């Protein structure tokens, strides 16, 4: 949520910043801007996407070797030119880009107004620039670094910040509290970014800032301190990410590329972790908490959005395979209701980005209360990954499309491996049964590939039929109830069609009132043990003239005959079914959104990584 990029070195900062913002745009795209130091503080910014910024820069170029940039997801103040970042102080000496929320901005604003400062924007960020300049002036304009630290101490809330000072053109100042920031270490040049995507083509050496840290960055060096001015020693990490992973590779959208990557991303997620021959699972990142997992009375899963849906699949998996009680919580709700969690409990935080503010807050709360916290994250080195006691990376590769696809299936794959592992160690599944499941898991990437080959065209055709319907209902039972929720979420996120997911049996307790010939109902009928019940639900929909689109196992003649449209996929173990049924739903929403002319990768109002609560 909001992307920050910064550069100091010999190259053209403006070019690096713009390219960086294009890579970060998935984090927010309400407005974009850069500030470049070149004797003067040159700021170019405006409402809309980075392409608008590019146009502005083409008309009025700004050149320099030091700069900061920002792509915004609006919190305070509507997306317009004035509210865009960077924000400058009254005299234009200081420029600031900021990700997060300054909660005491109103009080600070009043104090600064009383001192004669005039504000131009409705943002909380402008306060930082104005306050910093005020403190610097109050201290006789002697020591800018101290002024930055004094400013940070007055800010309540969350921030990732990058600052330029016109008088100090050889430095970029950065600080973090609650919003991710990292430093890219080059040769004679340094980069700053809210995630690694804008810097990966220049360097793979990064330093992650932790909360409460502040850094002064020059071309050749950096000093990281805490807010009390104590120098911190920081490890330099080597990133394994490569450039192709964050490019479209010929696909029209990242989302389509990521859907089609799933045979590989699921395989990557399981590589070295499952051994189909011996029927064993090794999850190195959680070995040391395996005993606690096996002993746990209950597991709490906390997550948001799509990750919450994978958590729901996890509930079915852990209950069936490991006989562990699982509660799946919206991270935001869990955190604010004095949760009953403590020693002996396990909290699993699931997050693609590893930066979602609500999920992070939930895990911190559980940790504070004595629970063991485990992370399931995709982004290596992310805050959640670093703050958990143990964890499993999903290894799905960078996910750029705002609507999550391959991260979901990888999360489900991790949860499946964990549940089988715990089930075996608790003695609830026999080694023979575990082997069967693991061998079938091993076949899943091939089945996903087969699904993509066989259904891509039929789903495109189907999407044409249903592009203009205003409402959709998605129904599933058991393992496929969360998939129904996820299918509905995918459709509303990217096509802006209203869609609801329901447990199929609940249809009769409300949603059935909506069913008529204008209501397409997507029925996920690919779980064997609920097949008969799903057939009854389909009959109930038909009786009310609803249109039935079934996601079903090949050879299920009865469901095929009863459905208006059917998408046939290979069968699998019920507990592995979400790994297959999710795929057609992702494609269906993708093609409907494309037909409707929607911005699939950057849907309105959404952001990939939600770092504010
Ligand atoms: C945002 C994204 C969703 C994502 C959710 C949780 O809302 O748009 O796609 O599922 O955040 O994100 P996380 O990174 O924690 O999985």
């Amino acid at each position: 949520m909001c992307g920050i990029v910064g550069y100091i070195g010999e190259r053209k900062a403006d070019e690096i910043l713009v390219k960086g913002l294009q890579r970060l745009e998935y984090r927010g795209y309400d407005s974009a801007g850069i500030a470049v130091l070149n004797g003067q503080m040159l700021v170019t910014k405006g409402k809309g996407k980075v392409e608008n910024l590019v146009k502005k820069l083409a008309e009025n170029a700004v050149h320099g070797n030091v700069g900061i940039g920002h792509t915004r997801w609006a919190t305070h103040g509507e997306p317009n030119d004035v509210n865009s970042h960077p924000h400058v102080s009254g005299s234009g000496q200081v420029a600031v880009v900021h990700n997060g929320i300054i909660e005491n901005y109103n009080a600070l604003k009043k104090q600064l107004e009383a001192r004669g400062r005039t504000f131009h924007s409705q943002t909380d960020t402008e306060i930082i620039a104005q306050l910093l300049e005020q403190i610097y002036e109050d201290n006789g304009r002697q020591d800018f670094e101290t002024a930055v630290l004094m400013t940070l101490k007055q800010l309540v809330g969350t921030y990732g910040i990058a600052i330029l000072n016109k008088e100090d053109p050889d430095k970029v100042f950065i600080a973090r509290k609650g919003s991710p920031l990292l430093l890219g270490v080059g040769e004679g040049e340094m980069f700053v970014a809210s995630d690694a995507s804008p810097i990966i083509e220049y360097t793979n050496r990064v330093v992650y800032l932790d909360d409460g840290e502040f850094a002064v960055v020059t071309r050749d060096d950096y000093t990281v301190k805490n807010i009390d001015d104590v120098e911190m020693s920081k490890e330099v990490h080597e990133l394994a990410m490569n450039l192709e992973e964050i490019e479209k590779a010929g696909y029209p959208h990242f989302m389509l590329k990521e859907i089609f990557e799933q045979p590989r991303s699921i395989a990557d997620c399981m590589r070295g972790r499952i051994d189909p021959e011996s029927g064993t699972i090794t999850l190195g990142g959680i070995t040391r908490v395996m005993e606690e997992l096996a002993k746990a009375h209950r597991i709490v899963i906390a997550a948001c959005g799509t990750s919450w849906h994978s958590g729901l699949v996890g509930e079915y998996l852990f209950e069936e395979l490991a006989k562990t009680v699982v509660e799946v919580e919206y991270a935001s709700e869990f955190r604010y209701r004095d949760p009953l969690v403590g020693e002996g409990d396990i909290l699993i935080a699931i997050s693609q980005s590893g930066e979602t503010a609500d999920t992070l807050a939930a895990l911190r709360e559980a940790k504070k209360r004595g629970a063991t916290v485990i992370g399931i994250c995709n982004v290596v080195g992310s805050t959640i990954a670093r703050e958990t006691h143990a964890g499993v990376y999903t290894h799905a590769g960078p996910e750029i499309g705002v609507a999550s696809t391959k991260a979901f299936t990888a999360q489900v794959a991790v949860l499946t491996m964990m549940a089988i592992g715990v089930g075996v160690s608790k003695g609830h599944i026999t080694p023979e049964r575990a082997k069967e499941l693991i061998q079938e898991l091993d076949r899943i990437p091939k089945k996903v590939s087969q699904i993509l080959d066989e259904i891509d065209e039929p789903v495109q055709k189907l999407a044409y039929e249903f592009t203009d319907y205003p409402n959709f209902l998605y129904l599933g039972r058991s393992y496929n109830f969360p998939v129904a929720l996820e299918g509905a979420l995918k459709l509303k996120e990217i096509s802006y069609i209203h869609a609801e997911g329901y447990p199929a049996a609940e249809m009769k307790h409300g949603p059935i009132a909506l069913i008529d010939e204008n209501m397409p109902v997507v029925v996920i009928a690919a779980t064997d043990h609920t097949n008969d019940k799903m057939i009854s639900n389909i009959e109930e929909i038909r009786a009310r003239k609803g249109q039935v689109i079934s996601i079903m196992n090949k050879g299920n003649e009865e469901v095929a005959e009863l459905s208006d449209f059917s998408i046939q996929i290979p069968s699998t173990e019920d507990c592995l079914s979400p790994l297959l049924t999710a795929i057609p739903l992702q494609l269906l929403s993708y093609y409907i959104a494309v037909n409707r002319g929607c911005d699939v990768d950057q849907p309105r109002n959404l952001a990939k990584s939600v770092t504010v609560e």
Side-chain angles (χ1 to χ4, degrees):
M1 180 157 288
C2 298
I4 289 177
V5 62
Y7 177 75
I8 181 163
E10 298 299 324
R11 304 188 212 218
K12 290 180 180 164
D14 45 308
E15 287 178 7
I16 289 183
L17 298 177
V18 166
K19 210 166 172 191
L21 292 180
Q22 281 161 338
R23 297 220 187 276
L24 282 172
E25 206 167 19
Y26 72 104
R27 297 181 74 97
Y29 30 83
D30 291 338
S31 60
I34 61 170
V36 171
L37 269 181
N38 184 1
Q40 312 164 55
M41 183 73 77
L42 303 168
V43 176
T44 309
K45 62 181 189 171
K47 182 182 168 174
K49 295 197 166 194
V50 179
E51 63 188 67
N52 292 345
L53 176 69
V54 172
K55 282 185 202 142
K56 286 193 177 197
L57 288 167
E59 285 160 19
N60 204 350
V62 294
H63 296 308
N65 307 114
V66 184
I68 55 177
H70 187 265
T71 172
R72 179 170 186 242
W73 185 87
T75 59
H76 294 56
E78 63 172 289
N80 61 26
D81 290 354
V82 178
N83 289 333
S84 311
H85 300 215
H87 288 279
V88 288
S89 56
S91 74
Q93 174 177 350
V94 174
V96 175
V97 293
H98 164 224
N99 181 9
I101 291 178
I102 305 303
E103 288 163 10
N104 61 338
Y105 89 100
N106 236 333
L108 291 171
K109 188 174 183 179
K110 285 194 181 119
Q111 287 169 24
L112 290 163
E113 278 172 341
R115 306 267 325 254
R117 291 203 167 255
T118 310
F119 286 83
H120 304 285
S121 77
Q122 299 149 325
T123 65
D124 49 342
T125 305
E126 193 184 353
I127 310 300
I128 306 171
Q130 299 274 23
L131 177 64
L132 175 52
E133 184 172 83
Q134 187 66 53
I135 292 176
Y136 186 49
E137 282 176 4
D138 289 348
N139 292 334
R141 305 179 70 85
Q142 292 299 317
D143 181 354
F144 190 76
E145 196 179 313
T146 304
V148 174
L149 284 174
M150 289 169 73
T151 303
L152 296 177
K153 284 188 178 163
Q154 292 205 30
L155 302 180
V156 176
T158 55
Y159 51 78
I161 306 175
I163 303 168
L164 292 183
N165 174 17
K166 194 160 81 179
E167 281 177 7
D168 217 347
D170 297 321
K171 289 177 185 155
V172 177
F173 302 85
I174 59 172
R176 167 189 170 144
K177 187 182 159 208
S179 289
L181 263 191
L182 53 85
L183 245 172
V185 182
E187 296 286 327
E189 59 184 356
M190 298 282 172
F191 304 82
V192 170
S194 39
D195 68 47
S197 56
I199 62 172
I200 195 70
E201 62 192 284
Y202 310 107
T203 179
N204 66 348
R205 301 179 69 227
V206 300
V207 173
Y208 297 103
L209 242 59
D210 285 307
D211 277 350
E213 287 181 343
F214 153 79
V216 182
V217 186
T218 65
R219 281 176 175 70
D220 309 299
D221 207 1
Y222 56 87
T223 314
V224 181
K225 295 178 171 179
N226 70 13
I227 203 160
D228 297 317
D229 212 11
V230 177
E231 204 166 320
M232 312 295 288
S233 100
K234 300 292 290 182
E235 196 184 332
V236 179
H237 296 261
E238 298 230 337
L239 289 175
M241 193 196 288
N242 64 50
L243 199 57
E244 295 91 78
E245 287 181 317
I246 54 171
E247 302 202 313
K248 282 190 199 153
Y251 284 90
H253 296 101
F254 280 110
M255 182 178 176
L256 191 63
K257 175 189 171 223
E258 287 156 6
I259 292 173
F260 272 84
E261 273 174 352
Q262 288 174 106
R264 189 190 53 72
S265 56
I266 298 171
D268 285 351
C269 174
M270 301 189 303
R271 179 160 302 118
R273 292 170 167 173
I274 58 168
D275 181 351
E277 267 176 43
S278 62
T280 51
I281 285 182
T282 316
L283 294 168
I286 55 165
T287 315
R288 65 202 163 92
V289 293
M290 211 50 190
E291 212 182 302
E292 284 170 70
L293 253 173
K295 275 195 211 143
H297 302 302
R298 63 169 190 156
I299 294 173
V300 178
I301 296 180
C304 307
T306 289
S307 298
W308 184 78
H309 293 155
S310 72
L312 286 178
V313 178
E315 178 178 12
Y316 285 88
L317 286 162
F318 270 98
E319 293 197 353
E320 181 190 338
L321 303 174
K323 304 279 177 265
T324 311
V325 174
V326 177
E327 282 162 35
V328 187
E329 303 275 359
Y330 283 117
S332 52
E333 287 300 312
F334 173 81
R335 193 252 163 125
Y336 282 111
R337 60 145 210 270
D338 195 11
L340 295 176
V341 67
E343 259 174 64
D345 288 327
I346 302 270
L347 179 126
I348 302 179
I350 307 178
S351 174
Q352 185 285 130
S353 62
E355 303 292 351
T356 301
D358 288 319
T359 311
L360 184 57
L363 95 80
R364 285 180 178 159
E365 189 62 42
K367 207 171 163 184
K368 200 170 81 192
R369 289 168 187 247
T372 298
V373 293
I374 297 175
I376 298 179
C377 296
N378 194 37
V379 177
V380 176
S382 55
T383 310
I384 292 176
R386 286 183 291 133
E387 291 202 11
T388 39
H389 294 119
V392 184
Y393 281 119
T394 45
H395 292 313
E399 191 180 65
I400 312 286
V402 166
S404 186
T405 51
K406 64 175 180 172
F408 173 77
T409 45
Q411 289 165 348
V412 171
V414 167
L415 288 160
T416 311
M417 291 187 284
M418 281 174 79
I420 297 173
V422 177
V424 172
S425 78
K426 286 174 81 173
H428 289 303
I429 34 180
T430 61
E432 294 71 35
R433 177 69 184 135
K435 193 168 175 177
E436 271 171 28
L437 288 173
I438 290 165
Q439 288 181 344
E440 180 58 10
L441 251 184
D442 190 46
R443 288 190 280 268
I444 290 289
K446 271 214 179 100
K447 291 191 176 183
V448 173
S449 183
Q450 185 190 343
I451 292 174
L452 288 166
D453 282 349
E454 291 176 0
I455 69 160
D456 185 40
E457 243 184 78
V459 173
Q460 279 189 55
K461 286 192 188 132
L462 185 64
Y464 276 117
E465 302 275 339
F466 287 99
T467 293
D468 296 321
Y469 283 78
N471 297 292
F472 272 71
L473 188 61
Y474 285 70
L475 301 177
R477 282 173 182 261
S478 170
Y479 284 98
N480 282 311
F481 157 54
V483 178
L485 296 180
E486 175 59 9
L489 178 67
K490 282 292 82 78
L491 189 69
K492 62 187 144 198
E493 279 179 315
I494 59 169
S495 71
Y496 318 138
I497 293 174
H498 171 247
E500 299 267 1
Y502 258 88
E506 276 293 304
M507 177 178 70
K508 56 188 174 291
H509 300 294
I512 201 163
L514 301 172
I515 294 179
D516 61 15
E517 64 278 13
N518 296 316
M519 176 65 96
V521 185
V522 179
V523 178
I524 308 158
T527 329
D528 291 342
H529 77 283
T530 56
N531 188 53
D532 293 346
K533 303 284 177 227
M534 287 308 283
I535 288 172
S536 308
N537 293 137
I538 293 173
E539 294 282 15
E540 288 155 13
I541 300 162
R542 281 164 53 90
R544 285 150 188 95
K545 299 196 167 44
Q547 303 202 51
V548 177
I549 303 168
S550 300
I551 312 298
M552 47 163 282
N553 290 337
K554 280 184 178 183
N556 190 340
E557 300 300 335
E558 205 174 349
V559 170
E561 271 168 33
L562 289 172
S563 307
D564 296 285
F565 301 88
S566 59
I567 300 172
Q568 312 210 1
I569 61 172
S571 56
T572 185
E573 295 274 356
D574 281 0
C575 65
L576 307 185
S577 156
L579 292 165
L580 303 185
T581 51
I583 313 290
L585 302 188
Q586 295 167 350
L587 280 176
L588 182 64
S589 48
Y590 171 79
Y591 286 118
I592 288 179
V594 169
N595 294 345
R596 289 166 72 92
C598 297
D599 189 345
V600 172
D601 282 337
Q602 293 169 354
R604 70 181 178 210
N605 304 339
L606 299 179
K608 183 75 185 156
S609 172
V610 182
T611 52
V612 294
E613 283 184 47

